[in-house]
Coordinates of all heavy atoms in Angstrom, one line a residue:
M1 N -13.7 8.9 21.9 CA -12.5 9.2 21.1 C -11.3 8.4 21.6 O -11.2 8.2 22.8 CB -12.1 10.7 21.3 CG -13.1 11.7 20.6 SD -12.9 11.7 18.8 CE -11.4 12.6 18.6
P2 N -10.5 7.8 20.8 CA -9.4 7.1 21.2 C -8.4 8.0 22.0 O -8.3 9.2 21.8 CB -8.8 6.5 19.9 CG -9.3 7.3 18.8 CD -10.6 7.9 19.3
R3 N -7.6 7.3 22.8 CA -6.5 8.0 23.5 C -5.3 8.2 22.6 O -4.7 7.2 22.2 CB -6.2 7.3 24.8 CG -5.2 8.0 25.6 CD -4.9 7.2 26.9 NE -4.0 8.0 27.8 CZ -3.4 7.5 28.9 NH1 -3.6 6.2 29.2 NH2 -2.7 8.3 29.6
V4 N -4.9 9.4 22.4 CA -3.8 9.6 21.5 C -2.6 10.2 22.4 O -2.9 11.1 23.1 CB -4.1 10.6 20.4 CG1 -2.9 10.9 19.5 CG2 -5.3 10.2 19.6
E5 N -1.5 9.6 22.2 CA -0.3 10.0 23.0 C 0.9 10.2 22.1 O 1.0 9.5 21.1 CB 0.1 9.0 24.0 CG -1.1 8.7 25.0 CD -0.8 7.4 25.8 OE1 -1.1 6.3 25.3 OE2 -0.3 7.5 26.9
I6 N 1.7 11.2 22.4 CA 2.9 11.5 21.6 C 4.1 11.8 22.5 O 4.0 12.7 23.4 CB 2.6 12.6 20.5 CG1 3.8 12.9 19.6 CG2 2.1 13.9 21.2 CD1 3.5 13.7 18.4
Y7 N 5.2 11.1 22.2 CA 6.4 11.4 22.9 C 7.2 12.4 22.0 O 7.4 12.1 20.8 CB 7.2 10.1 23.1 CG 6.6 9.2 24.1 CD1 5.6 8.2 23.7 CD2 6.9 9.2 25.5 CE1 5.0 7.4 24.6 CE2 6.3 8.4 26.4 CZ 5.3 7.5 25.9 OH 4.7 6.6 26.8
T8 N 7.7 13.4 22.6 CA 8.4 14.5 21.8 C 9.7 14.9 22.5 O 9.9 14.6 23.7 CB 7.5 15.7 21.6 OG1 7.2 16.3 22.9 CG2 6.2 15.4 20.9
K9 N 10.5 15.7 21.7 CA 11.6 16.4 22.3 C 11.5 17.8 21.9 O 11.0 18.1 20.8 CB 12.9 15.8 21.9 CG 13.3 14.5 22.5 CD 14.7 14.1 22.1 CE 15.1 12.8 22.8 NZ 16.4 12.3 22.4
W10 N 12.1 18.7 22.7 CA 12.1 20.1 22.4 C 13.0 20.3 21.1 O 14.0 19.7 20.9 CB 12.7 20.9 23.5 CG 12.7 22.4 23.3 CD1 11.6 23.2 23.6 CD2 13.7 23.2 22.7 NE1 11.9 24.5 23.2 CE2 13.2 24.5 22.7 CE3 15.0 23.0 22.2 CZ2 13.9 25.6 22.2 CZ3 15.7 24.0 21.7 CH2 15.2 25.3 21.7
G11 N 12.5 21.2 20.2 CA 13.3 21.6 19.0 C 13.3 20.5 17.9 O 14.1 20.5 17.1
C12 N 12.3 19.6 18.0 CA 12.2 18.5 17.0 C 11.2 18.8 16.0 O 10.0 18.8 16.2 CB 11.8 17.2 17.8 SG 11.2 15.9 16.8
P13 N 11.7 19.0 14.7 CA 10.7 19.4 13.7 C 9.7 18.3 13.3 O 8.6 18.6 12.9 CB 11.6 19.8 12.5 CG 13.0 19.2 12.8 CD 13.1 19.1 14.3
Y14 N 10.2 17.1 13.4 CA 9.2 16.0 13.1 C 8.1 15.9 14.2 O 7.0 15.5 13.9 CB 10.0 14.6 13.1 CG 10.9 14.5 11.9 CD1 12.2 14.7 11.9 CD2 10.4 14.1 10.6 CE1 13.1 14.6 10.8 CE2 11.2 13.9 9.5 CZ 12.5 14.2 9.6 OH 13.3 14.0 8.6
C15 N 8.5 16.3 15.4 CA 7.5 16.3 16.5 C 6.5 17.4 16.2 O 5.2 17.2 16.3 CB 8.1 16.6 17.8 SG 9.4 15.3 18.3
V16 N 6.9 18.6 15.7 CA 6.0 19.7 15.4 C 5.1 19.3 14.2 O 3.9 19.5 14.3 CB 6.9 20.9 15.0 CG1 5.9 22.0 14.5 CG2 7.7 21.4 16.2
A17 N 5.7 18.6 13.2 CA 4.9 18.1 12.1 C 3.9 17.2 12.5 O 2.7 17.2 12.0 CB 5.8 17.5 11.0
A18 N 4.2 16.2 13.4 CA 3.2 15.2 13.8 C 2.1 15.9 14.6 O 0.9 15.6 14.4 CB 3.9 14.2 14.7
K19 N 2.5 16.8 15.5 CA 1.4 17.5 16.3 C 0.6 18.4 15.4 O -0.6 18.5 15.6 CB 2.1 18.4 17.4 CG 2.7 17.5 18.5 CD 3.1 18.3 19.7 CE 4.2 19.3 19.4 NZ 4.4 20.2 20.6
T20 N 1.2 19.0 14.4 CA 0.4 19.8 13.4 C -0.6 18.9 12.7 O -1.8 19.3 12.5 CB 1.3 20.5 12.4 OG1 2.2 21.4 13.1 CG2 0.5 21.3 11.4
L21 N -0.2 17.7 12.3 CA -1.1 16.8 11.6 C -2.3 16.4 12.6 O -3.4 16.5 12.1 CB -0.4 15.6 11.2 CG -1.2 14.4 10.5 CD1 -2.0 14.9 9.3 CD2 -0.3 13.3 10.1
L22 N -2.0 16.1 13.8 CA -3.0 15.8 14.8 C -3.9 17.0 15.0 O -5.1 16.8 15.1 CB -2.4 15.3 16.1 CG -1.6 13.9 16.0 CD1 -0.9 13.7 17.3 CD2 -2.6 12.8 15.6
D23 N -3.3 18.2 15.1 CA -4.1 19.4 15.3 C -5.1 19.6 14.1 O -6.2 19.9 14.3 CB -3.2 20.6 15.5 CG -2.5 20.6 16.8 OD1 -2.9 20.0 17.7 OD2 -1.4 21.3 16.9
K24 N -4.6 19.4 12.9 CA -5.4 19.5 11.7 C -6.6 18.5 11.8 O -7.7 18.8 11.2 CB -4.6 19.3 10.4 CG -3.8 20.5 10.0 CD -3.1 20.3 8.7 CE -2.2 21.4 8.4 NZ -1.2 21.0 7.4
K25 N -6.3 17.3 12.3 CA -7.4 16.3 12.5 C -8.4 16.7 13.6 O -9.4 16.1 13.7 CB -6.8 15.0 12.8 CG -5.9 14.4 11.6 CD -6.8 14.0 10.5 CE -5.9 13.4 9.4 NZ -6.7 13.1 8.2
G26 N -8.0 17.6 14.4 CA -8.9 18.1 15.5 C -8.9 17.1 16.7 O -9.9 17.2 17.4
V27 N -7.9 16.3 16.8 CA -7.9 15.4 17.9 C -7.1 15.9 19.1 O -6.1 16.5 18.9 CB -7.5 14.0 17.5 CG1 -8.4 13.4 16.4 CG2 -6.0 14.0 17.1
A28 N -7.5 15.6 20.3 CA -6.8 15.9 21.5 C -5.7 14.8 21.7 O -5.9 13.7 21.3 CB -7.7 16.0 22.7
Y29 N -4.6 15.2 22.2 CA -3.6 14.2 22.5 C -2.8 14.6 23.8 O -2.8 15.8 24.2 CB -2.6 14.1 21.3 CG -2.0 15.4 20.8 CD1 -0.9 16.0 21.4 CD2 -2.6 16.1 19.8 CE1 -0.4 17.2 21.0 CE2 -2.1 17.3 19.3 CZ -1.0 17.8 19.9 OH -0.5 19.0 19.4
E30 N -2.2 13.7 24.4 CA -1.3 13.9 25.5 C 0.1 13.9 25.0 O 0.5 12.9 24.3 CB -1.5 12.8 26.6 CG -2.9 12.8 27.2 CD -3.1 11.5 27.9 OE1 -2.5 11.2 28.9 OE2 -4.0 10.7 27.4
E31 N 0.9 14.9 25.4 CA 2.2 15.0 24.9 C 3.2 14.8 26.1 O 3.0 15.4 27.2 CB 2.5 16.4 24.3 CG 3.9 16.6 23.9 CD 4.2 17.9 23.2 OE1 3.3 18.8 23.1 OE2 5.3 18.1 22.8
Y32 N 4.2 13.9 25.9 CA 5.2 13.7 26.9 C 6.5 14.2 26.3 O 7.1 13.6 25.4 CB 5.3 12.2 27.2 CG 3.9 11.5 27.5 CD1 3.6 10.4 26.8 CD2 3.1 12.1 28.4 CE1 2.4 9.7 27.1 CE2 1.8 11.5 28.7 CZ 1.5 10.3 28.0 OH 0.3 9.7 28.2
D33 N 7.0 15.2 26.9 CA 8.3 15.8 26.5 C 9.5 15.0 27.2 O 9.6 15.1 28.4 CB 8.4 17.3 26.9 CG 9.6 18.0 26.3 OD1 10.7 17.3 26.2 OD2 9.6 19.2 26.1
I34 N 10.2 14.3 26.4 CA 11.3 13.5 26.9 C 12.7 14.1 26.6 O 13.7 13.3 26.6 CB 11.2 12.0 26.5 CG1 11.4 11.9 24.9 CG2 9.9 11.4 26.9 CD1 11.6 10.5 24.5
T35 N 12.7 15.4 26.4 CA 14.0 16.0 26.1 C 15.0 15.7 27.1 O 16.2 15.5 26.8 CB 13.8 17.6 26.0 OG1 12.7 17.9 25.1 CG2 15.1 18.3 25.6
M36 N 14.6 15.7 28.4 CA 15.5 15.5 29.5 C 15.6 14.0 29.9 O 16.2 13.7 30.9 CB 15.1 16.3 30.7 CG 15.0 17.8 30.4 SD 16.5 18.5 29.8 CE 17.5 18.6 31.3
G37 N 15.1 13.1 29.1 CA 15.1 11.7 29.4 C 14.1 11.5 30.5 O 13.0 12.0 30.5
G38 N 14.5 10.7 31.5 CA 13.7 10.4 32.7 C 12.7 9.3 32.5 O 12.8 8.5 31.5
P39 N 11.8 9.1 33.4 CA 10.9 7.9 33.4 C 10.0 7.9 32.1 O 9.7 6.7 31.7 CB 10.0 8.1 34.7 CG 10.3 9.5 35.2 CD 11.6 9.9 34.6
K40 N 9.6 9.0 31.6 CA 8.8 8.9 30.4 C 9.5 8.4 29.2 O 9.0 7.7 28.3 CB 8.2 10.3 30.1 CG 7.0 10.7 30.9 CD 5.8 9.7 30.5 CE 4.6 10.0 31.4 NZ 3.5 9.0 31.2
R41 N 10.9 8.7 29.1 CA 11.7 8.1 28.1 C 11.8 6.6 28.2 O 11.6 5.8 27.3 CB 13.1 8.7 28.0 CG 14.0 8.1 27.0 CD 15.4 8.7 26.9 NE 16.1 8.2 25.9 CZ 16.8 7.0 26.0 NH1 16.8 6.4 27.1 NH2 17.5 6.6 24.9
A42 N 12.0 6.2 29.5 CA 12.0 4.7 29.7 C 10.7 4.1 29.4 O 10.6 3.0 28.8 CB 12.3 4.5 31.2
E43 N 9.6 4.8 29.7 CA 8.2 4.3 29.4 C 8.1 4.1 27.9 O 7.5 3.1 27.4 CB 7.2 5.2 29.9 CG 5.8 4.8 29.6 CD 4.8 5.9 30.0 OE1 4.3 5.9 31.2 OE2 4.5 6.8 29.2
M44 N 8.5 5.1 27.1 CA 8.4 5.1 25.7 C 9.2 3.8 25.1 O 8.6 3.1 24.3 CB 9.0 6.3 25.0 CG 8.9 6.3 23.5 SD 9.8 7.7 22.7 CE 11.5 7.1 22.7
L45 N 10.4 3.6 25.6 CA 11.2 2.5 25.1 C 10.5 1.1 25.5 O 10.7 0.1 24.8 CB 12.6 2.6 25.7 CG 13.4 3.8 25.2 CD1 14.7 3.9 25.9 CD2 13.6 3.7 23.6
E46 N 9.8 1.1 26.6 CA 9.1 -0.1 27.0 C 7.9 -0.3 26.1 O 7.6 -1.4 25.7 CB 8.6 0.1 28.5 CG 8.1 -1.2 29.1 CD 7.8 -1.0 30.6 OE1 8.7 -0.4 31.3 OE2 6.7 -1.3 31.0
R47 N 7.2 0.8 25.8 CA 6.0 0.7 25.0 C 6.3 0.5 23.5 O 5.5 0.0 22.7 CB 5.1 1.9 25.2 CG 4.6 2.0 26.7 CD 3.8 3.3 26.8 NE 2.5 3.1 26.4 CZ 1.6 4.2 26.2 NH1 2.0 5.4 26.5 NH2 0.4 3.9 25.8
V48 N 7.4 1.1 23.1 CA 7.8 1.1 21.7 C 9.2 0.5 21.6 O 10.1 1.3 21.4 CB 7.7 2.5 21.0 CG1 7.8 2.4 19.5 CG2 6.4 3.2 21.4
P49 N 9.3 -0.8 21.7 CA 10.7 -1.3 21.8 C 11.5 -1.0 20.5 O 10.9 -1.1 19.4 CB 10.4 -2.8 21.9 CG 9.0 -3.0 22.5 CD 8.3 -1.8 21.9
G50 N 12.7 -0.6 20.7 CA 13.5 -0.2 19.5 C 13.3 1.2 19.0 O 14.0 1.5 18.0
A51 N 12.5 1.9 19.6 CA 12.3 3.3 19.2 C 13.6 4.1 19.3 O 14.2 4.1 20.4 CB 11.2 4.0 20.0
R52 N 14.0 4.7 18.2 CA 15.3 5.4 18.2 C 15.1 6.9 18.0 O 16.1 7.7 18.2 CB 16.2 4.9 17.1 CG 16.5 3.4 17.1 CD 18.0 3.2 16.9 NE 18.4 1.8 16.8 CZ 18.3 0.9 17.8 NH1 17.8 1.3 19.0 NH2 18.6 -0.4 17.6
T53 N 13.9 7.3 17.6 CA 13.6 8.7 17.4 C 12.3 9.1 18.0 O 11.5 8.3 18.3 CB 13.6 8.9 15.8 OG1 12.6 8.1 15.3 CG2 14.9 8.6 15.2
V54 N 12.2 10.4 18.1 CA 10.9 11.0 18.4 C 10.4 11.8 17.2 O 11.3 12.2 16.4 CB 11.0 11.9 19.6 CG1 11.1 11.2 20.9 CG2 12.1 12.9 19.5
P55 N 9.2 12.0 16.9 CA 8.1 11.6 17.8 C 7.8 10.1 17.7 O 8.1 9.4 16.8 CB 6.9 12.4 17.3 CG 7.1 12.4 15.8 CD 8.6 12.6 15.7
Q56 N 7.1 9.6 18.8 CA 6.4 8.3 18.7 C 5.0 8.5 19.1 O 4.6 9.1 20.1 CB 7.0 7.3 19.7 CG 8.5 6.9 19.4 CD 8.6 6.1 18.0 OE1 7.7 5.4 17.7 NE2 9.7 6.3 17.3
V57 N 4.1 8.1 18.2 CA 2.7 8.3 18.3 C 2.0 7.0 18.7 O 2.2 6.0 18.0 CB 2.0 8.9 17.0 CG1 0.5 9.1 17.2 CG2 2.7 10.2 16.7
L58 N 1.1 7.0 19.7 CA 0.4 5.9 20.1 C -1.1 6.2 20.1 O -1.5 7.3 20.6 CB 0.8 5.3 21.4 CG 2.2 4.8 21.5 CD1 3.2 5.8 21.9 CD2 2.3 3.6 22.5
V59 N -1.9 5.3 19.6 CA -3.4 5.5 19.6 C -4.0 4.3 20.3 O -3.8 3.1 19.9 CB -4.0 5.6 18.2 CG1 -5.5 5.7 18.3 CG2 -3.4 6.9 17.5
D60 N -4.6 4.5 21.5 CA -5.1 3.5 22.3 C -4.1 2.4 22.6 O -4.4 1.2 22.5 CB -6.4 2.8 21.7 CG -7.6 3.7 22.0 OD1 -7.6 4.5 22.9 OD2 -8.7 3.5 21.3
G61 N -2.9 2.9 22.8 CA -1.8 2.0 23.1 C -1.1 1.3 21.9 O 0.0 0.7 22.1
E62 N -1.6 1.5 20.7 CA -1.0 1.0 19.5 C 0.0 2.0 19.0 O -0.3 3.1 18.7 CB -2.0 0.7 18.5 CG -1.4 0.1 17.2 CD -2.4 0.0 16.0 OE1 -3.6 0.4 16.2 OE2 -2.0 -0.3 14.9
A63 N 1.3 1.5 18.9 CA 2.3 2.4 18.4 C 2.2 2.5 16.9 O 2.3 1.5 16.1 CB 3.7 1.8 18.7
L64 N 2.0 3.8 16.4 CA 1.9 4.0 15.0 C 3.2 4.4 14.3 O 3.3 4.5 13.1 CB 0.8 5.1 14.7 CG -0.6 4.8 15.2 CD1 -1.5 5.9 14.7 CD2 -1.1 3.5 14.7
G65 N 4.2 4.8 15.2 CA 5.5 5.2 14.7 C 5.7 6.7 14.7 O 5.1 7.4 15.6
G66 N 6.6 7.2 13.9 CA 6.9 8.6 13.9 C 6.1 9.4 12.9 O 5.1 8.9 12.4
F67 N 6.5 10.6 12.6 CA 5.8 11.4 11.7 C 5.6 10.8 10.3 O 4.6 10.8 9.7 CB 6.4 12.8 11.5 CG 5.8 13.6 10.4 CD1 4.5 14.1 10.5 CD2 6.5 13.9 9.3 CE1 3.9 14.8 9.5 CE2 5.9 14.6 8.2 CZ 4.6 15.0 8.4
D68 N 6.7 10.3 9.8 CA 6.7 9.6 8.4 C 5.7 8.5 8.4 O 4.9 8.4 7.4 CB 8.1 9.1 8.0 CG 9.1 10.2 7.8 OD1 8.7 11.3 7.6 OD2 10.3 9.8 7.7
D69 N 5.6 7.7 9.4 CA 4.7 6.6 9.5 C 3.3 7.1 9.5 O 2.4 6.6 8.8 CB 5.0 5.7 10.7 CG 6.4 5.2 10.7 OD1 6.8 4.6 9.7 OD2 7.1 5.5 11.7
V70 N 3.0 8.1 10.4 CA 1.7 8.5 10.6 C 1.2 9.3 9.4 O 0.0 9.1 8.9 CB 1.6 9.5 11.9 CG1 0.3 10.1 12.0 CG2 1.9 8.6 13.1
S71 N 2.0 10.1 8.7 CA 1.6 10.8 7.5 C 1.4 9.8 6.4 O 0.5 10.0 5.6 CB 2.6 11.9 7.2 OG 3.8 11.4 7.0
A72 N 2.2 8.8 6.3 CA 2.0 7.8 5.2 C 0.7 7.1 5.5 O -0.1 6.8 4.5 CB 3.1 6.8 5.2
L73 N 0.4 6.7 6.7 CA -0.9 6.1 7.0 C -2.1 7.0 6.6 O -3.1 6.5 6.1 CB -1.0 5.8 8.5 CG -2.2 5.0 9.1 CD1 -2.3 3.7 8.4 CD2 -2.1 4.9 10.6
D74 N -1.9 8.3 6.9 CA -2.9 9.3 6.5 C -3.1 9.3 5.0 O -4.2 9.3 4.5 CB -2.5 10.6 7.0 CG -3.7 11.6 6.9 OD1 -4.9 11.2 7.0 OD2 -3.4 12.8 6.7
R75 N -2.0 9.3 4.2 CA -2.1 9.3 2.8 C -2.8 8.1 2.3 O -3.5 8.1 1.2 CB -0.7 9.4 2.2 CG -0.1 10.9 2.2 CD 1.1 11.0 1.3 NE 2.1 10.0 1.5 CZ 3.1 10.2 2.5 NH1 3.1 11.3 3.2 NH2 4.0 9.3 2.7
Q76 N -2.6 7.0 3.0 CA -3.2 5.7 2.5 C -4.6 5.6 3.0 O -5.3 4.6 2.7 CB -2.4 4.5 3.1 CG -1.0 4.3 2.6 CD -0.1 3.6 3.5 OE1 -0.5 3.0 4.5 NE2 1.2 3.6 3.2
G77 N -5.1 6.6 3.8 CA -6.5 6.6 4.2 C -6.8 5.9 5.4 O -8.0 5.7 5.8
G78 N -5.7 5.5 6.2 CA -6.0 4.7 7.4 C -6.0 5.4 8.7 O -6.3 4.8 9.7
L79 N -5.6 6.6 8.7 CA -5.4 7.3 10.0 C -6.7 7.7 10.6 O -6.9 7.6 11.8 CB -4.5 8.6 9.8 CG -4.2 9.3 11.0 CD1 -3.5 8.5 12.1 CD2 -3.3 10.6 10.7
D80 N -7.6 8.2 9.8 CA -8.9 8.7 10.4 C -9.6 7.6 11.2 O -10.1 7.9 12.3 CB -9.8 9.3 9.3 CG -9.3 10.6 8.7 OD1 -8.3 11.1 9.2 OD2 -9.9 11.1 7.8
A81 N -9.6 6.4 10.7 CA -10.3 5.4 11.4 C -9.6 5.1 12.7 O -10.3 4.9 13.7 CB -10.3 4.1 10.5
K82 N -8.3 5.1 12.7 CA -7.6 4.9 14.0 C -7.9 6.0 15.0 O -7.9 5.7 16.2 CB -6.0 5.0 13.7 CG -5.5 3.9 12.8 CD -5.0 2.7 13.5 CE -4.4 1.7 12.6 NZ -4.4 0.4 13.1
L83 N -8.1 7.2 14.5 CA -8.4 8.3 15.3 C -9.9 8.5 15.7 O -10.3 9.4 16.3 CB -7.9 9.6 14.7 CG -6.4 9.7 14.5 CD1 -6.1 11.0 13.7 CD2 -5.7 9.7 15.8
G84 N -10.7 7.5 15.1 CA -12.1 7.6 15.4 C -12.9 8.7 14.7 O -13.9 9.2 15.1
L85 N -12.3 9.1 13.5 CA -12.9 10.2 12.7 C -13.8 9.7 11.6 O -13.7 8.6 11.2 CB -11.8 11.1 12.2 CG -10.9 11.7 13.2 CD1 -9.8 12.5 12.5 CD2 -11.7 12.6 14.1
Ligands
GSH1 N1 11.4 9.3 10.3 C1 11.3 9.9 11.6 C2 12.4 10.9 11.9 C3 12.3 11.4 13.3 C4 13.7 12.1 13.7 O1 14.7 12.0 13.0 N2 13.6 12.6 14.9 C5 14.8 13.2 15.5 C6 14.5 14.5 16.2 S1 13.6 15.6 15.1 C7 15.4 12.3 16.5 O2 14.6 11.7 17.3 N3 16.7 12.2 16.6 C8 17.4 11.4 17.6 C9 17.3 11.9 19.0 O3 16.9 13.1 19.2 O4 17.5 11.2 19.9 C10 9.9 10.5 11.8 O5 9.3 10.9 10.7 O6 9.4 10.7 12.9

């Protein structure tokens, strides 16, 4: 299974939506809560240059974007392959 990572903040509805989508796909993911900033926020900005919002979803290190991007990819039929489904 690919490694799925998601950067989130507390109280972020798009983050909940993205996690719900991943949960529906049945994939495990690592969540990094960057509500308080810190090194994980810096890491996100390094891995996803220009990221202005959360969530940010990465699969095997590839940045897929936020919820809108990931759900659009799913509608286009491209998400399952990225997730190894
Ligand atoms: N189109 C983006 C919208 C994400 C978004 O607006 N996220 C909000 C939180 S729910 C955000 O990051 N706001 C700026 C901030 O919290 O620094 C997506 O679908 O992921």
Side-chain angles (χ1 to χ4, degrees):
M1 289 291 281
R3 182 180 187 190
V4 181
E5 300 166 279
I6 181 168
Y7 293 88
T8 64
K9 284 185 180 178
W10 186 86
C12 162
Y14 289 98
C15 301
V16 173
K19 290 194 293 178
T20 300
L21 176 56
L22 294 173
D23 288 339
K24 280 186 188 160
K25 296 289 182 184
V27 299
Y29 52 84
E30 293 163 68
E31 179 177 1
Y32 311 128
D33 184 334
I34 61 164
T35 306
M36 304 301 285
K40 279 293 178 189
R41 179 178 181 276
E43 178 189 270
M44 181 188 84
L45 293 173
E46 192 175 307
R47 300 176 79 192
V48 192
R52 302 228 186 290
T53 58
V54 285
Q56 292 296 327
V57 178
L58 293 92
V59 176
D60 279 344
E62 178 188 358
L64 299 188
F67 170 69
D68 290 344
D69 303 305
V70 172
S71 58
L73 183 62
D74 191 33
R75 282 195 302 277
Q76 291 157 12
L79 182 59
D80 286 1
K82 298 263 187 204
L83 296 175
L85 301 174

